Amino acid sequence: MSARDDILANIRRSLGVTGRETIRTQIVEERIERAPKGLIPARGQVSGEERLAMFKAQAEAALATVTEVSSPADVPRSIASYLRDHNLPATLRMGADLRLKAMPWGETSLDMSHGPSAGGDLNAVSHAFGGVAETGSLVMISGPENPSTLNFLPDNHIIVVAEKDITGDYEAVWSKVRFAFGKSSMPRTVNWITGPSRSGDIEQTMLLGAHGPRRLHIVVVRE
């Protein structure tokens, strides 16, 4: 038992409860549901093509590049073209994400490697949990499917996101995370990525790649 569990157990004993009483649980859930919601910017309250257009505009304003494909099967060729057009090596590291693994990488000449990055990879691909239109951000869930090292160590990070997973605002994404994982199994880390890494600390001069990838390329799957 952890110190936290020990403290909570002592509180429950002093109150004469176990923490599993149905009525008490319902009262708490209703109180949380009635609590006033935070202010959500109106900018992201759009849908359909307008939402996708806003996501692209905000991502590009943050110095990311965006490409659209019509199905997951088109992703490997699109990524191979991106690497070739930017004169980058035809190498790519990815985690164990089943959506990525199901794509036809064998139809390209890419040299694929798998697992977390140790810092020597130039290019990596990840699959986002979702995106946010109001800021052009991507939401990354940690785990062997999409190791967090791929978010920060390679010079060039390519992120695949399904159009259906792009929401208007942050609050909507957090609701999806809670629904997908549940209260007792939330991911250890949720990273929010908006554009490539940058810093203006030195003489207020913008430097890309200061703390992570120099390039961020987004592939939106419109299936």
Side-chain angles (χ1 to χ4, degrees):
M1 178 179 292
S2 67
R4 176 179 180 275
D5 293 334
D6 191 34
I7 292 170
L8 293 176
N10 288 333
I11 293 173
R12 293 190 185 101
R13 278 195 297 271
S14 67
L15 295 174
V17 299
T18 65
R20 295 186 295 273
E21 292 81 2
T22 302
I23 294 178
R24 288 174 60 87
T25 301
Q26 290 176 346
I27 291 173
V28 172
E29 290 176 349
E30 291 172 0
R31 185 189 308 154
I32 293 174
E33 185 62 29
R34 290 196 308 269
K37 300 296 188 293
L39 182 65
I40 299 176
R43 181 175 64 183
Q45 305 311 300
V46 292
S47 60
E49 292 293 330
E50 193 175 355
R51 176 181 294 174
L52 178 59
M54 176 175 291
F55 173 79
K56 290 177 61 178
Q58 293 298 322
E60 290 169 352
L63 304 181
T65 54
V66 184
T67 298
E68 297 177 33
V69 297
S70 58
S71 74
D74 297 325
V75 169
R77 288 190 297 272
S78 176
I79 292 176
S81 295
Y82 171 81
L83 295 177
R84 183 172 58 252
D85 293 345
H86 288 79
N87 199 29
L88 295 170
T91 60
L92 197 61
R93 177 171 287 275
M94 70 178 185
D97 191 286
L98 295 179
R99 295 163 295 185
L100 293 177
K101 291 180 70 174
M103 296 173 184
W105 300 100
E107 297 179 3
T108 71
S109 59
L110 294 174
D111 181 12
M112 305 296 296
S113 56
H114 301 270
S117 176
D121 302 289
L122 283 177
N123 312 313
V125 60
S126 304
H127 203 296
F129 177 84
V132 182
E134 67 171 316
T135 56
S137 302
L138 294 154
V139 183
M140 312 300 296
I141 301 297
S142 64
E145 295 80 10
N146 293 284
S148 291
T149 53
L150 301 188
N151 298 339
F152 303 110
L153 297 183
D155 268 4
N156 309 287
H157 193 197
I158 302 166
I159 300 180
V160 180
V161 63
E163 181 187 8
K164 64 180 178 60
D165 293 329
I166 297 175
T167 65
D169 51 72
Y170 290 178
E171 289 78 2
V173 173
W174 280 120
S175 294
K176 290 181 66 175
V177 172
R178 295 186 188 99
F179 179 80
F181 290 90
K183 183 177 179 180
S184 61
S185 58
M186 291 288 281
R188 183 174 182 85
T189 304
V190 179
N191 293 125
W192 294 68
I193 297 176
T194 308
S197 171
R198 76 200 74 187
S199 175
D201 291 344
I202 302 175
E203 297 183 352
Q204 297 184 349
T205 300
M206 185 64 70
L207 175 66
L208 296 181
H211 311 294
R214 300 176 187 275
R215 291 187 179 95
L216 174 66
H217 181 61
I218 303 169
V219 181
V220 179
V221 180
R222 301 204 59 181
E223 185 181 35

